[in-house]
Amino acid sequence: MTDTTARLTISTASPLPDDPDGYRILRAYMAEVASRFWGSAATSAEVDEVLLEDPSDDLVPPTGVFLLARDASGPVGCVAVRRLSDGDCELKRMYVDPAARGRGVGRELVAAAEQAAREFGATTLKLDTRADLVEARTLYVSCGFVEIKAYNDAWYADHWYAKRLR
């Protein structure tokens, strides 16, 4: 088995939807989370609707950043950081392409999100997620996030986590 994570790069994407790679991986993320939520494959129209209902417009400086992970095959994942307040940022849009899972890409994306939050001056990185996203919840806990009380009223969320940044 080849170690493809050694060739992994994580960089800031151009503003969405202007970045074709970023927009494609964001659509893949939305399709997967919508499909898992509804229990059946999301159609292209349903993904379009989700993108309109939950836009990513603020995931650009100075309010946020959208990061893309790429390997030799192209984009394999994404993560975003949104500023919440002085001292707090939020991890959003965490996704690893199914073909790249199990290679440490998710862990590298979380580390990149933590660094981006530090660059925004955050001391805490928060996130919300759902019970059915078991793999994501497992990753967050293994990266040092702890479950907290709800910090937002996201209608789809039923688990909230935070990590102190040093």
Side-chain angles (χ1 to χ4, degrees):
M1 186 167 165
T2 305
D3 179 14
T4 57
T5 57
R7 297 186 316 257
L8 186 72
T9 61
I10 299 175
S11 60
T12 304
S14 299
L16 299 171
D18 299 339
D19 185 309
D21 285 344
Y23 192 64
R24 183 179 66 73
I25 205 86
L26 181 63
R27 285 188 67 82
Y29 160 79
M30 291 293 189
E32 181 167 334
V33 296
S35 296
R36 289 176 78 159
F37 185 75
W38 293 323
S40 63
T43 66
S44 183
E46 289 168 333
V47 172
D48 290 342
E49 184 177 330
V50 170
L51 285 165
L52 285 173
E53 290 174 358
D54 192 8
S56 299
D57 302 356
D58 62 343
L59 301 178
V60 295
T63 56
V65 64
F66 185 79
L67 303 170
L68 278 177
R70 291 180 174 92
D71 68 10
S73 69
V76 294
C78 64
V79 70
V81 173
R82 174 182 292 147
R83 292 176 89 171
L84 293 178
S85 64
D86 289 341
D88 288 345
C89 280
E90 181 178 41
L91 185 148
K92 300 295 292 179
R93 311 290 192 256
M94 175 70 188
Y95 176 74
V96 176
D97 185 272
R101 292 179 186 166
R103 300 188 316 198
V105 175
R107 189 168 300 284
E108 289 197 42
L109 283 166
V110 169
E114 291 173 9
Q115 183 57 37
R118 284 185 196 96
E119 290 172 8
F120 279 124
T123 56
T124 303
L125 183 59
K126 297 179 177 181
L127 65 92
D128 63 46
T129 191
R130 301 188 325 237
D132 64 313
L133 301 176
V134 176
E135 305 89 343
R137 291 177 43 226
T138 301
L139 172 66
Y140 300 140
V141 169
S142 75
C143 289
F145 285 81
V146 295
E147 197 150 4
I148 61 170
K149 292 182 183 180
Y151 66 90
N152 65 21
D153 60 357
W155 66 271
Y156 58 83
D158 46 23
H159 291 274
W160 293 261
Y161 293 88
K163 181 177 180 178
R164 298 281 303 157
L165 304 174
R166 296 175 192 185

